[in-house]
Amino acid sequence: MRAIVYTGPNQMALDEQPIPEPAPGEVLVRVHAVGICGSDMHAYHGYDDRRPPPLVLGHEAAGIIASGPRAGERVAINPLVVDPECPVARAGRPHLSPTRAIISMPPRPGAFAEYVTIPERNILPVPDGLSMRDAALSEPVAVSWHAVRIGLERLGQPRPRVLVQGGGAIGVAAALVARHMGAEAIDLAEPHPGRRALLEHEAGITGFDPTSQDPGESAYDLVIDAVGAVATRQAASRLVRPGGVIVHVGLLPGQEGYDIRRITLQEITITGSYCYTPEDFAAALDALAQGALGALGWVEVRPFAGAVTAFAELDAGKVSAAKIVLDLAEL
Ligand SMILES: [Zn+2]
């Protein structure tokens, strides 16, 4: 099968590999669509110790079961593999289990390949009418779903004013999910005009340039930080209202930025947000199937053969789309 292998910092190569054998309890999936994630880019740069080369990256995939009794079923892949018997998983938070492992981290190769194996409990049927491209979005949308959901739960206030920082896929999807979940007004802080334009036709979501516009202290009830940089943490500390909530999703290097004094005096809640529960994943896939998240014009499809180029262009900042999905259907 063809696979894209990360061979060393800033290097990718299209390669031939044997088709993997599913272990007991696993299925073999012929990948039809797979998204490129910020964490794939992070690994590509050689910054992720959990992803040493040579390695097949990619964890945002949908495809068709290729063998066994369920052959032919269209499925989305939940790439977060967890021991279901772990006490943390049994308590309802499998994404926090010490056994958690995402495909594209050894020993599990990722989905930038024609075939991938995955435990059967990690696949979800793709509803009729939902394209493989959109089914592959269920993973990043699930990340956003989880972040917005836990933020709203901690806030406990209907119709909040929401700030989303960062117009990448997680930020864009978080803005759309916040609207779906009933936010009153949603602002998207993103310096890049091309990225801001991705949502300009979406009602209820307003983009602005945080480097030149200041919404003012206490402007928001809930802040979703989908960047995770010093500047966004500084801004979130000031822009959230007293008693408000900040959800930290982004994973850029560095730890500084929060105004701990204001956070203490104004009883601001900060929570991290990582991945999703299986319920979040299913809800994200369902919302995509219902068309509840808008026109998805922020997604660009490219042929699998163009993957190496796509990485280089993403690296060079030449891509306005918030998400590139690779199409493997015609291979
Ligand atoms: Zn991802």
Side-chain angles (χ1 to χ4, degrees), residues 37-39 59-60 139-140 143 323:
C37 175
S39 65
H59 58 271
E60 304 177 354
E139 201 275 348
V143 171
K323 173 65 67 185

Side-chain angles (χ1 to χ4, degrees), residues 5-6 26 39-40 43 48-59 79 81 98-111 116-117:
V5 183
Y6 159 60
E26 292 187 344
S39 65
D40 296 317
D48 191 346
D49 296 339
R50 303 169 304 172
R51 292 179 165 108
L55 183 66
V56 176
L57 299 170
H59 58 271
V81 180
T99 70
R100 73 187 184 192
I102 289 189
I103 67 167
S104 78
M105 288 184 196
R108 290 190 169 276
V116 68
T117 57

